[in-house]
């Protein structure tokens, strides 16, 4: 079945540092890929998505590229802020509109 | 007001009690979902519904039931709560147009503690 593996956290960075959160997946066919973010005390919200190979999703300075050859969708940001502290979830959808989520990676950014 | 509203936001109950978590949405979406979040386990799908007459089990449906009372309302029930059902529960919605790419819209969550 479908599965998503993402790096365990917490990831602790200083403000303005470069961020990478790794995500790899296993799926049949050609899934759509997503990154969701969960701020403290809130529900999840879509951060970015990519629907086909080589697509790059981007939003709020974050970006991720759909790499079919490595089955990966790593999240990156060039300069993190304290306000980026949250839990980040990688997810995929391979039909029927039900998402499969990774376990989440907590990001902590200090001033 | 939130587009996806969950009630209650917090609930503490005892083993064996019946609990209902309710979800209502004003987004006009046809698809609704219940997920459970546990630390270190991510989100796992409990049940989902693509329209009022369609109910489907997710990966962890045992011990839960659902009711789709209307397009806008989808409730989750625990008939006899047990401590390992202590978790954060999320309702989510999507519509057919965005549903094909999988985008979900989440409520703020209902934290349930079973003693």
């Amino acid at each position: 079945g479908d599965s998503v593996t993402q790096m365990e956290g917490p990831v602790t960075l200083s403000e303005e540092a470069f961020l990478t959160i790794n995500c790899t997946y296993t799926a049949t066919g050609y899934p759509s890929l997503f990154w969701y973010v969960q701020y403290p005390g809130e529900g999840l919200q879509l951060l970015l998505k990519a629907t086909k190979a080589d697509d790059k999703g981007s939003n709020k300075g974050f970006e991720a590229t759909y790499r079919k050859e490595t089955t990966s969708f790593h999240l990156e940001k060039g300069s993190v802020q304290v306000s980026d502290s949250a839990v980040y979830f990688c997810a995929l959808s391979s039909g029927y509109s039900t998402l499969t989520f990774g376990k989440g990676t907590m990001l902590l950014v200090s001033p | 007001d939130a587009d996806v509203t969950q009630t209650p936001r917090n609930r503490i109950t005892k083993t064996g009690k019946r609990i209902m978590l309710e979800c209502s949405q004003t987004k006009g979406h046809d698809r609704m979902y219940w997920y459970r979040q546990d630390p270190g386990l991510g989100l796992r799908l409990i049940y989902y519904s693509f329209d009022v007459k369609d109910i489907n089990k997710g990966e962890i449906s045992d011990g839960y039931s659902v009711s789709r009372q209307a397009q806008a309302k989808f409730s989750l029930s625990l008939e006899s709560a047990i401590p390992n059902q202590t978790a954060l529960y999320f309702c989510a919605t999507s519509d057919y147009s965005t549903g094909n790419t999988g985008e979900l819209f989440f409520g703020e969550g209902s934290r349930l503690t079973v003693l």
Side-chain angles (χ1 to χ4, degrees):
Chain A
D2 296 344
S3 67
V4 175
T5 302
Q6 57 183 108
M7 61 191 292
E8 291 188 19
V11 173
T12 303
L13 295 173
S14 297
E15 208 165 24
E16 300 183 2
F18 184 85
L19 169 71
T20 299
I21 300 178
N22 291 335
C23 171
T24 58
Y25 67 90
T26 302
T28 55
Y30 302 96
S32 296
L33 301 174
F34 308 84
W35 277 100
Y36 279 80
V37 58
Q38 183 182 28
Y39 297 105
E42 298 183 11
L44 281 74
Q45 55 186 275
L46 181 67
L47 180 59
L48 54 85
K49 66 180 180 183
T51 59
K52 61 183 186 295
D54 299 325
D55 270 1
K56 177 184 285 187
S58 61
N59 186 26
K60 299 181 180 180
F62 292 89
E63 58 182 35
T65 301
Y66 188 163
R67 301 289 188 196
K68 185 173 181 294
E69 63 276 12
T70 56
T71 62
S72 65
F73 192 55
H74 305 322
L75 182 68
E76 296 182 335
K77 187 176 185 182
S79 177
V80 295
Q81 305 301 311
V82 172
S83 58
D84 294 327
S85 297
V87 181
Y88 292 82
F89 292 90
C90 186
L92 70 82
S93 173
S94 59
Y96 298 105
S97 191
T98 60
L99 292 192
T100 299
F101 287 88
K103 295 183 178 180
T105 302
M106 180 178 287
L107 171 65
L108 300 172
V109 181
S110 57
Chain B
D1 289 342
D3 293 327
V4 183
T5 302
Q6 294 183 229
T7 57
R9 294 291 312 280
N10 288 283
R11 181 73 183 269
I12 300 173
T13 190
K14 295 182 179 180
T15 297
K17 295 292 187 180
R18 184 179 188 273
I19 296 297
M20 179 180 286
L21 306 180
E22 298 183 326
C23 178
S24 63
Q25 51 116 344
T26 57
K27 299 187 74 66
H29 289 171
D30 52 352
R31 302 179 176 191
M32 299 187 74
Y33 310 77
W34 277 104
Y35 281 89
R36 167 178 172 160
Q37 184 180 17
D38 298 276
L41 296 179
L43 274 78
R44 293 179 291 167
L45 183 62
I46 305 173
Y47 272 95
Y48 61 102
S49 168
F50 284 173
D51 64 42
V52 174
K53 296 182 179 179
D54 176 77
I55 300 290
N56 304 281
K57 293 182 177 180
E59 62 180 296
I60 56 162
S61 59
D62 287 349
Y64 301 95
S65 62
V66 292
S67 173
R68 185 82 184 264
Q69 300 95 327
Q71 187 197 34
K73 296 184 181 296
F74 191 38
S75 60
L76 175 72
S77 294
L78 290 67
E79 295 300 325
S80 180
I82 57 177
N84 75 2
Q85 291 177 312
T86 293
L88 184 57
Y89 291 85
F90 285 103
C91 176
T93 72
S94 68
D95 70 18
Y96 183 77
S97 60
T98 60
N100 283 337
T101 61
E103 181 175 357
L104 299 183
F105 298 83
F106 284 83
E108 294 184 329
S110 296
R111 184 168 296 281
L112 176 65
T113 303
V114 183
L115 302 177

